[in-house]
Amino acid sequence: MKVEILISGFGGQGIMSLGKFLAKAALSEGKEVTYFPSYGAEMRGGTAHCCVKISDSPIASPFEEHPDVALIFNQPSLDKFKKKIKKDSILILNSDLMSEQVSINNSRGACLSLSKIAIDCGNIKVANVVALGALIALDPSIFKKETLVKGLKLTFKNQNTLKQNLLALDKGQALLSSKTYL
Amino acid sequence: MEKNKKLTKVLMSGNEAMGEAAIRAGCKFYSGYPITPQNELTAYMARRMREEGRAFVQAESELAAINMIFGAAVTGVRTMTSSSSPGISLKQEGISYLAGCQLPAVIINVMRGGPGLGNIDSSQSDYFQSTRGGGHGDYFTPTLAPWSAEEATKLVVLAFDLADYYRTPVLVLADAIIGQMMEPVGLPFERMFKKKLPKKTWALTGAKKRPANAVMSLLLGDRVLQRHNERLGRKWDKIKEKEQRFDTYKVQDAKYLIVAYGSQARIAFEAVDILRKQNIKAGLFRPISLWPYPEKGLKELAKGVKKVLVVEQSLGQMVEDVRAALPLGEISFLGKAGGGIPLAKEIVGAIKKSL
């Protein structure tokens, strides 16, 4: 097993937090993992991104090359990484922050109202976890749901924040029975 | 150091891991000035040193930081500073003084692109500066280059031991990728250096009931400095003899040897696996000590090898040490500077072109 996950969006959307969260989740399942962030010279309105690699064997290069999973939270991120995303990559887009009609032909893609659903969960900041829910619906083999739930419980001490995140995970997962595929 | 405890893995960035390693190695004083891509190290020390009841100073400049390290080292405590390339240039005067005064200290350089302020991308362009002394005067600094967050912890601990054993400043030369990347790190950290460390009888600890010690780098008088430099020279020779370190991957039957260090060695590692799948007998030689350069190991290994490819995130610096070690070897070079990183497929291409 070897998975490369690219996460990209605006600074403040929980891009790095989600990357680190997934890296820790993978480590807790005994996997090899690397997390590599963009750092420093990012600007307001631009993109922040990170790459998480998970494998059963040691990981050499930590860079994104051709992600197997791309979680894209805004238009500039899609513009930046469009070319790197493979046809058979899992692609989850945040339709709320896309300025154009998206036309990528991914066999396993979903364009979802991540921000709006997050607001429904009580906190726009949980849009990243909505995407994670959608990811486990599209491919249950990368993360076990119970690992993620356990991770969220370890991450959030505040019961209300935890509740919002658990709800976001469930809603994201449930979405893909009734959502707009690309 | 902690011993015989079960190893647990935690997720840490190289920067954080190096900070924790310094604390566990008994670093009592840290001083630094912020610069990307090593800020997490300074931030980590700001928090953890205080928790441990030790001293942390965010200095007003790199010059101040390195001279505070001088002040701490002279009292005999373990001390460390860290920075990135432009900041390390500023610290070179102080490093020269530390070497001249034979003071143990650890300096971490998380390299970024240069020259000048350059950029914040990963680079290996401080190889010359690190392995040729760096500042003025006839000296060297032992230089250790980690290729993972976990190895960075071991090398920081080793750097403190080498510094105390040889009474000299030691560099840990990481790069932006090693500093920024998070990966599992085993705790507690392993100690590689097995020799007994000498007592610091030279330290300035107050001269009550003993003759006063003096530590100075200005040595006037007839041939005083010459004799001092000759003593230092014997020390450099001893370090060259005893402290060469390297690692290898799939070299037993290798016909094509890739030489790379730090983060670039990880990418070369990947290239070796790709080449092996195509039945091309490639192997990796990974220097861990850049000074002293592991020339003995390289010479031995190169005996059965047809061609050597040196890969660096620079326009070609370490390649000169490889050429010096293998004067008759067929050596080619692949490098990118200013934040460029030679990719695995490019390394594979360079090897196949030379078939």
Side-chain angles (χ1 to χ4, degrees):
Chain A
M1 177 239 192
K2 201 171 180 183
V3 186
E4 178 180 329
I5 305 170
L6 171 74
I7 310 169
S8 186
F10 287 126
Q13 282 187 296
I15 304 304
M16 305 306 177
S17 306
L18 181 59
K20 282 185 223 171
F21 176 78
L22 293 182
K24 280 184 192 159
L27 177 60
S28 77
E29 287 183 358
K31 304 255 173 54
E32 295 285 343
V33 61
T34 62
Y35 158 88
F36 193 69
S38 58
Y39 55 91
E42 308 302 340
M43 56 193 162
R44 186 180 286 258
T47 61
H49 68 275
C50 65
C51 176
V52 179
K53 288 192 176 180
I54 300 166
S55 176
D56 293 323
S57 50
I59 299 160
S61 159
F63 295 118
E64 77 268 0
E65 284 154 68
H66 295 290
D68 304 297
V69 176
L71 309 178
I72 304 289
F73 289 85
N74 66 0
Q75 183 73 51
S77 298
L78 182 61
D79 299 340
K80 185 169 180 178
F81 293 112
K82 206 156 28 180
K83 283 191 185 137
K84 284 194 170 177
I85 297 166
K86 298 176 288 189
K87 280 250 156 54
D88 59 348
S89 302
I90 294 178
L91 173 63
I92 296 170
L93 295 174
N94 183 7
S95 60
D96 295 332
L97 291 176
M98 294 292 154
S99 55
E100 58 180 42
Q101 192 64 34
V102 182
S103 58
I104 289 185
N105 289 323
N106 274 67
S107 51
R108 292 192 293 172
C111 196
L112 306 168
S113 245
L114 298 176
S115 300
K116 284 202 189 105
I117 298 157
I119 294 169
D120 290 347
C121 296
N123 190 342
I124 192 170
K125 290 180 189 166
V126 300
N128 54 0
V129 180
V130 178
L132 188 52
L135 171 62
I136 54 174
L138 279 172
D139 188 343
S141 73
I142 306 172
F143 296 103
K144 293 191 192 101
K145 190 178 181 188
E146 55 263 39
T147 309
L148 301 179
V149 169
K150 206 170 141 193
L152 288 173
K153 285 179 179 165
L154 284 171
T155 308
F156 297 105
K157 302 281 174 280
N158 180 310
Q159 285 306 305
N160 192 39
T161 318
L162 175 62
K163 214 172 85 188
Q164 290 167 343
N165 277 280
L166 291 172
L167 187 61
L169 191 67
D170 286 341
K171 281 208 176 195
Q173 192 183 12
L175 260 179
L176 287 180
S177 45
S178 65
K179 62 348 32 333
T180 338
Y181 280 88
L182 282 173
Chain B
M1 297 297 293
E2 299 158 82
K3 268 184 190 163
N4 304 324
K5 284 189 190 162
K6 204 176 161 236
L7 212 66
T8 50
K9 292 265 182 183
V10 292
L11 192 73
M12 281 181 132
S13 71
N15 281 334
E16 294 165 336
M18 289 190 284
E20 185 60 31
I23 285 164
R24 290 181 185 229
C27 177
K28 290 271 167 40
F29 180 83
Y30 173 95
S31 176
Y33 185 80
I35 183 169
T36 305
Q38 65 82 56
N39 281 323
E40 295 78 9
L41 208 173
T42 310
Y44 191 86
M45 294 306 265
R47 179 167 64 78
R48 287 281 289 121
M49 289 295 269
R50 209 175 140 161
E51 283 172 11
E52 297 287 326
R54 306 182 197 172
F56 168 91
V57 178
Q58 180 175 322
E60 70 271 31
S61 70
E62 283 85 355
L63 251 70
I66 192 70
N67 286 307
M68 288 180 200
I69 297 307
F70 187 101
V74 99
T75 69
V77 301
R78 285 193 154 183
T79 181
M80 181 175 94
T81 186
S82 63
S83 191
S84 178
S85 309
I88 294 291
S89 291
L90 290 165
K91 286 178 177 164
Q92 287 300 343
E93 181 190 53
I95 298 171
S96 167
Y97 278 59
L98 287 164
C101 293
Q102 305 201 69
L103 293 176
V106 173
I107 299 115
I108 295 179
N109 181 2
V110 183
M111 283 185 282
R112 60 187 252 175
L117 272 183
N119 67 10
I120 59 165
D121 294 337
S122 189
S123 177
Q124 298 183 321
S125 51
D126 300 349
Y127 182 93
F128 283 152
Q129 184 193 55
S130 312
T131 59
R132 268 52 175 181
H136 64 282
D138 229 339
Y139 77 97
F140 295 94
T141 44
T143 302
L144 305 169
W147 82 326
S148 68
E150 182 161 285
E151 190 179 59
T153 65
K154 292 178 193 168
L155 295 188
V156 166
V157 174
L158 175 64
F160 276 104
D161 284 342
L162 290 176
D164 281 349
Y165 188 80
Y166 291 104
R167 281 185 65 187
T168 199
V170 175
L171 280 182
V172 176
L173 192 68
D175 53 57
I177 298 170
I178 300 301
Q180 289 294 322
M181 177 178 52
M182 292 181 112
E183 56 183 347
V185 172
L187 292 171
F189 306 140
E190 184 191 322
R191 191 173 164 204
M192 295 159 84
F193 196 77
K194 306 294 180 201
K195 289 184 197 120
K196 195 168 175 272
L197 299 176
K199 282 213 172 82
K200 295 180 175 178
T201 52
W202 47 266
L204 307 191
T205 53
K208 212 172 184 179
K209 292 185 186 164
R210 66 159 170 80
N213 285 336
V215 174
M216 59 180 104
S217 77
L218 179 66
L219 300 171
L220 303 173
D222 189 26
R223 295 184 60 208
V224 179
L225 182 62
Q226 186 184 338
R227 282 196 296 274
H228 176 63
N229 271 291
E230 285 162 2
R231 266 199 303 279
L232 291 182
R234 287 192 288 277
K235 173 158 81 180
W236 313 137
D237 287 345
K238 191 174 166 196
I239 296 173
K240 271 194 222 170
E241 178 62 29
K242 304 275 185 198
E243 306 299 342
Q244 297 188 16
R245 289 178 166 79
F246 63 93
D247 190 16
T248 59
Y249 179 61
K250 295 193 175 166
V251 288
Q252 264 90 354
D253 60 342
K255 294 281 170 246
Y256 301 89
L257 191 65
I258 304 170
V259 185
Y261 70 96
S263 63
Q264 194 56 47
R266 296 174 76 110
I267 299 162
F269 180 96
E270 200 172 320
V272 168
D273 277 346
I274 296 171
L275 287 161
R276 285 276 168 174
K277 273 185 199 143
Q278 301 174 11
N279 290 321
I280 297 166
K281 289 185 173 169
L284 172 68
F285 180 80
R286 179 173 73 88
I288 295 171
S289 63
L290 300 182
W291 192 87
Y293 199 74
E295 53 187 26
K296 284 185 275 186
L298 181 58
K299 275 179 187 154
E300 191 57 38
L301 256 177
K303 278 177 188 162
V305 163
K306 273 192 199 156
K307 280 169 188 170
V308 177
L309 174 70
V310 182
V311 190
E312 294 178 68
Q313 290 160 27
S314 82
L315 293 179
Q317 301 194 8
M318 179 180 71
V319 65
E320 294 199 359
D321 283 336
V322 176
R323 288 195 181 115
L326 308 173
L328 302 174
E330 200 171 320
I331 296 155
S332 54
F333 174 74
L334 175 68
K336 288 187 192 175
I341 292 160
L343 301 174
K345 62 181 176 197
E346 293 166 331
I347 300 173
V348 168
I351 291 281
K352 287 169 92 171
K353 212 171 81 181
S354 72
L355 289 180

